[in-house]
Amino acid sequence: MNTILVAAAVQDGRLKRSTFEVMARAREVAAETGSEVVAAVLHPTARDLAPDLMRHGAVRVYVVEDPVFDRHVNVPVIDALERVVKAALPRLVVAPSTEAFKDVMGALAVRLGAGALPDVSEFGVDGDSVVAVRPVMAAKMLARVSSREPLVLVSVRSGSYEASASPVEGEIVPVDFSCDAGTLRQTLREVLSSGDGEVDLSEARVVVAAGRGIRDEAGRDLVLELADATGAAIGASRAVVETGLFPATAQIGQTGKVVAPDLYFAVGISGAIQHVAGMVNSRVIVAINKDPDAPIFDYATYGIVGDAFKVLPPLIEALRDAGKT
Ligand SMILES: Cc1cc2nc3c(=O)[nH]c(=O)nc-3n(C[C@H](O)[C@H](O)[C@H](O)COP(=O)(O)OP(=O)(O)OC[C@H]3O[C@@H](n4cnc5c(N)ncnc54)[C@H](O)[C@@H]3O)c2cc1C
C-alpha cells in the first residue's frame, strides 16, 4: 500500500487550518489510489497534537519532539522531516504552503532525491505521476505540472480545499531526534510581530481589505470597525500600504500575502491583477466601490456600487445587530 504523508503546519502550539485542508484532500487521493494517510508533526510537545490529526484521518502520526521546534529554524526541520520520510516511506509528501515549508522544501527535495511541486492549488495522482495545478503569472494562468519521481513533495496553497474531519483510531510513532542548538549556524533571535492579538491574515475565515478608496484615517477607522464587527483579519492593497495607513504585513497580492478566506470584503480596491492574485480563491467576495466599472466587480460574488463612507456605517450597524441576535 502506498503512503501519503502530510507534514503538519503548527503555529502558536496549534495545528493550522491549512493542515486539515491538506488532510481532507490527502484522504480523497488515498481513497482513489488505495493508499493510507499518515502525518508528521514537529513540535516540543508534538504528541499533544496527534489526536487532532487522527480526527482528520491520519492512521499514524510521526511525532518529533524537541525544544528546537518551538520556532522555525530550517536545518533541524529538514533533518527531522528526512527521518520521518525514511521511516514512513511515502509516495507523496504534502504540506500547506507556509513560509516555513517553502523555506525547507527545496533543500528537502534535494536531500531525498525527490520531485517538488510547490505552491499548487490542486493535486492528485494519475497513473505513475503526481499531478498538480499551479497558479502562475499572478494567478492569471494555471500551469499543469507533474512529476514521475518515486517520491514527490507538494505544497498546497491555503484555501484550496475544504477541511473536514474523518476520525480514525490512529497510532503515535515517536521519531528519535535530538538537536544540539549550540551547533546550529543559524539562530532565530527575535520574531517581530506587528499584530499581537489580531486575527492571523493567512488563516482567517473573514478578511476585510482596504484599498486607496478609503482615503484617510476616517476611512481606515471604518474598515477597522467592519473587521471588528465580523471578527475579520485586516488586509490592504499595495496602494494603501504605500500611503502608510496600513502596515506592509497587511498587503495582499502578488508581492504580499495570498489569502483564501470564506468571506473577503474589498473596500475601495480597484481589482488590479496584482491584488487579485492574492485573494481570487476567496469563497465569497464582497466588493464595495464607487466605480461600477471597477475590475474588482468581475471577481465579486456581491457588489455594492457606492461611496464606502456612506455604505460602511449602516453595513457595520446591521452586522453588529445581526451578531446580537
Ligand atoms: C510588480 C508589481 C507588484 C504588485 N503587487 C501588488 C500586491 O501584492 N498587492 C496589491 O494590492 N497591489 C500590487 N501592485 C499594485 C497594483 O498594480 C495596483 O496599483 C494596486 O493594487 C491598486 O490598489 P488599490 O486598488 O487600492 O488602488 P486604486 O487602483 O487607486 O483603486 C482605488 C479604488 O477605490 C475606489 N474608490 C475611490 N474612492 C472610493 C470611495 N469613497 N468609496 C468606494 N470606492 C472608492 C476607486 O473607484 C478605485 O477603484 C503591484 C504592482 C506591480 C507593478
Side-chain angles (χ1 to χ4, degrees):
M1 174 180 277
N2 276 330
T3 298
I4 302 175
L5 170 68
V6 174
V10 183
Q11 188 174 17
D12 300 329
R14 294 190 10 235
L15 293 163
K16 292 187 91 168
R17 177 166 63 103
S18 44
T19 300
F20 303 128
E21 295 169 3
V22 171
M23 291 285 304
R25 176 58 186 156
R27 288 199 315 267
E28 287 174 2
V29 176
E32 288 160 18
T33 56
S35 308
E36 60 177 8
V37 177
V38 303
V41 58
L42 284 46
H43 189 263
T45 54
R47 222 169 269 263
D48 298 346
L49 301 170
D52 238 3
L53 291 161
M54 293 174 193
R55 253 195 298 284
H56 288 81
V59 295
R60 280 192 305 288
V61 179
Y62 293 84
V63 296
V64 194
E65 297 194 319
D66 193 281
V68 76
F69 299 126
D70 191 31
R71 297 244 173 112
H72 177 79
V73 181
N74 53 24
V75 171
V77 172
I78 294 165
D79 290 345
L81 285 176
E82 182 185 13
R83 276 178 185 240
V84 173
V85 168
K86 288 187 170 156
L89 299 176
R91 164 78 182 94
L92 185 59
V93 178
V94 204
S97 194
T98 58
E99 294 305 318
F101 196 73
K102 284 183 205 167
D103 187 34
V104 300
M105 188 176 185
L108 188 63
V110 171
R111 186 84 75 84
L112 295 165
L117 304 177
D119 219 19
V120 307
S121 56
E122 290 174 34
F123 72 95
V125 171
D126 184 9
D128 59 356
S129 297
V130 174
V131 293
V133 172
R134 176 144 49 112
V136 291
M137 301 175 80
K140 255 194 279 186
M141 304 184 78
L142 297 173
R144 293 194 182 283
V145 290
S146 66
S147 172
R148 281 205 186 129
E149 294 295 334
L151 172 63
V152 181
L153 314 184
V154 178
S155 69
V156 185
R157 286 179 167 219
S158 156
S160 298
Y161 294 102
E162 187 84 47
S164 62
S166 176
V168 290
E169 286 281 328
E171 177 197 354
I172 292 182
V173 183
V175 177
D176 261 354
F177 181 85
S178 67
C179 172
D180 178 359
T183 63
L184 293 173
R185 281 185 290 175
Q186 177 198 38
T187 44
L188 182 62
R189 294 175 62 180
E190 192 183 359
V191 175
L192 300 175
S193 169
S194 65
D196 272 352
E198 284 175 14
V199 185
D200 176 7
L201 195 51
S202 57
E203 288 280 294
R205 314 304 297 254
V206 184
V207 170
V208 172
R212 187 151 42 194
I214 64 116
R215 229 165 43 211
D216 53 19
E217 279 79 5
R220 180 182 61 192
D221 289 349
L222 283 173
V223 164
L224 298 184
E225 271 189 61
L226 177 60
D228 183 55
T230 50
I234 295 156
S237 72
R238 181 158 117 179
V240 77
V241 165
E242 281 167 356
T243 66
L245 283 169
F246 289 88
T249 48
Q251 185 176 316
I252 290 170
Q254 185 187 337
T255 44
K257 294 203 167 95
V258 175
V259 300
D262 293 337
L263 178 58
Y264 188 91
F265 287 94
V267 186
I269 291 178
S270 60
I273 190 68
Q274 294 90 352
H275 182 80
V276 169
M279 46 66 78
V280 70
N281 283 336
S282 305
R283 289 213 167 82
V284 173
I285 297 171
V286 178
I288 302 168
N289 197 304
K290 67 178 187 185
D291 174 6
D293 296 324
I296 192 71
F297 289 124
D298 295 341
Y299 306 94
T301 324
Y302 301 101
I304 303 175
V305 179
D307 182 341
F309 289 82
K310 295 198 176 117
V311 171
L312 286 183
L315 179 63
I316 293 163
E317 202 183 316
L319 287 166
R320 288 228 159 99
D321 286 348
K324 280 183 207 145
T325 54

